[in-house]
């Protein structure tokens, strides 16, 4: 009891605060979320994501070298393709010479020690903006899984280190794992977007990949209800049983309780995705002088570590790395 116990004693100096700090945030905790484009411009600013550009392959190579120099361990690729290449079934996702396989090879050539994580989903490639093949107005589960298997194999063939199914179709992790094993890709990792919620925080990302205007309806029939917490336990358990090496919670900050629940219950790495809406809010508030942008950036990233996340996918990765590296 006070005054024998004074909790402020350990807070009084920088050295003592660092000594008793419970969690640490390091550059090795960051995955850089990048949007790669097949447009002619080397860099095309995304209005809804201040500070984020769509990158040409040449600019992507420069970014990969920057990531390596900063100590960022991995980059996550999200494609923006020419709308003329989109169709109802998202067939461009299955092009072995398409943008994503080229992007994988670009990163590997420029920075061989940087890991490559690839989104496995059809929404950047479909005219309707959904993550799968439509049957009327409904996203058909099994037909979509067939396409996702092919997409994941093409990415693995191109040298992708981690395939990351973000579609939320039932059974896709087991199907992709079986296909990878059969094709000899025994060491290709699967990062499952196991707890992906039907969120309003994805808006700027959809602008970045060009699916916002195309999206018909919503994604509530396959992404999780924001009201549900227990359901994530079933989703993650199934994905681990099917062969996921790591699991994802998306969005991040509004779902810290989900990250904590999963890390308390499963002995696998749990990643958080600090999504586009979270990034954009920090940037907008900082631009208006309402917050200290760098301080809030690092505080938000630390919150993921406090909740138990092994790593964070974020658009802030290079900026945060520079701040952490001093």
């Amino acid at each position: 009891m006070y005054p024998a116990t004074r909790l402020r004693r350990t807070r009084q100096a920088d050295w003592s605060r660092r000594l008793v700090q419970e969690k640490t945030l390091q550059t090795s905790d960051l995955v850089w979320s990048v949007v790669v484009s097949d447009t002619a411009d080397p860099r095309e600013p995304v209005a809804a994501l201040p500070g984020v550009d769509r990158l040409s392959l040449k600019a992507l190579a420069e970014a990969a070298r920057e990531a390596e120099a900063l100590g960022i361990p991995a980059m996550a690729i999200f494609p923006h393709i020419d709308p003329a290449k989109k169709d109802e079934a998202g067939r461009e996702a299955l092009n072995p010479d398409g943008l994503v396989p080229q992007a994988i090879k670009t990163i590997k050539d420029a920075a061989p020690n940087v890991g490559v994580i690839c989104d496995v989903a059809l929404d950047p490639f479909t005219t309707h903006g959904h993550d799968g093949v439509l049957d009327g107005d409904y996203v058909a589960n099994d037909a979509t899984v067939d396409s996702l298997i092919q997409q994941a194999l093409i990415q693995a063939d191109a040298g992708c280190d981690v395939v990351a199914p973000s579609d939320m179709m039932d059974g896709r992790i087991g199907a992709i794992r079986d296909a990878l094993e059969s094709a000899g890709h025994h060491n290709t990792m699967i990062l499952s977007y196991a707890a992906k919620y039907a969120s309003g925080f994805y808006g700027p990302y959809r602008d970045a990949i060009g699916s916002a205007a195309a999206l018909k309806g919503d994604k509530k029939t396959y992404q999780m209800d924001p009201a549900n917490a227990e359901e994530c336990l079933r989703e993650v358990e199934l994905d681990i049983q099917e062969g996921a090496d790591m699991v994802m919670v998306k969005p991040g900050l509004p779902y810290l309780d989900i990250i904590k629940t999963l890390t308390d219950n499963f002995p696998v790495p749990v990643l958080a995705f600090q999504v586009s809406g979270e990034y954009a809010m920090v940037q907008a508030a900082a631009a208006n002088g309402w917050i200290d942008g760098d301080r809030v950036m690092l505080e938000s990233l630390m919150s993921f570590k406090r909740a138990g996340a092994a790593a964070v996918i974020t658009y802030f990765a290079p900026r945060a790395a520079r701040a952490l590296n001093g």
Side-chain angles (χ1 to χ4, degrees), residues 75-281:
M75 301 174 77
I77 300 172
F78 300 92
H80 170 272
I81 69 167
D82 183 342
K85 297 178 181 177
K86 298 184 179 185
D87 61 23
E88 286 285 310
R91 291 182 181 87
E92 182 61 21
L94 312 183
N95 179 1
D97 298 314
L99 178 61
V100 172
Q102 291 184 61
I104 296 167
K105 293 172 184 175
T106 295
I107 294 174
K108 286 302 181 183
D109 287 344
N113 294 320
V114 173
V116 179
I117 301 173
C118 289
D119 187 52
V120 180
L122 300 182
D123 54 320
F125 305 96
T126 58
T127 50
H128 46 72
H130 278 285
D131 295 44
V133 179
L134 291 185
D135 180 5
D137 292 331
Y138 190 77
V139 175
N141 193 93
D142 295 0
T144 297
V145 170
D146 290 341
S147 292
L148 299 177
I149 292 169
Q150 297 177 63
Q151 186 181 16
L153 286 173
I154 286 168
Q155 293 174 356
D157 287 342
C160 178
D161 300 295
V162 184
V163 294
S166 65
D167 54 285
M168 291 298 288
M169 297 298 114
D170 290 331
R172 89 274 203 219
I173 300 301
I176 290 171
R177 175 54 73 201
D178 288 346
L180 290 171
E181 288 293 321
S182 296
H185 292 297
H186 310 300
N187 294 324
T188 301
M189 290 174 273
I190 297 179
L191 166 61
S192 172
Y193 285 58
K196 182 177 181 181
Y197 285 82
S199 171
F201 282 87
Y202 304 143
Y205 165 76
R206 291 174 183 163
D207 285 340
I209 66 165
S211 70
L215 183 60
K216 301 172 183 176
D218 56 48
K219 303 189 178 186
K220 294 180 180 178
T221 66
Y222 47 101
Q223 294 177 357
M224 288 179 59
D225 188 332
N228 292 359
E230 300 300 323
E231 185 182 12
C232 73
L233 295 170
R234 299 179 65 193
E235 288 280 5
V236 169
E237 184 176 20
L238 285 169
D239 284 359
I240 293 171
Q241 289 173 351
E242 291 177 20
D245 301 285
M246 300 173 281
V247 296
M248 167 75 73
V249 176
K250 182 179 181 182
L253 280 177
Y255 297 88
L256 293 177
D257 60 318
I258 304 301
I259 297 169
K260 177 64 173 170
T261 294
L262 296 182
T263 56
D264 284 348
N265 283 276
F266 298 104
V268 299
V270 177
L271 277 67
F273 200 140
Q274 187 178 47
V275 300
S276 60
E278 300 170 59
Y279 171 91
M281 288 193 303

Side-chain angles (χ1 to χ4, degrees), residues 56-71:
S56 68
L57 291 174
K58 181 178 179 181
L60 179 65
E62 296 170 356
R65 287 189 285 268
E66 180 184 6
E68 190 170 48
L70 289 170

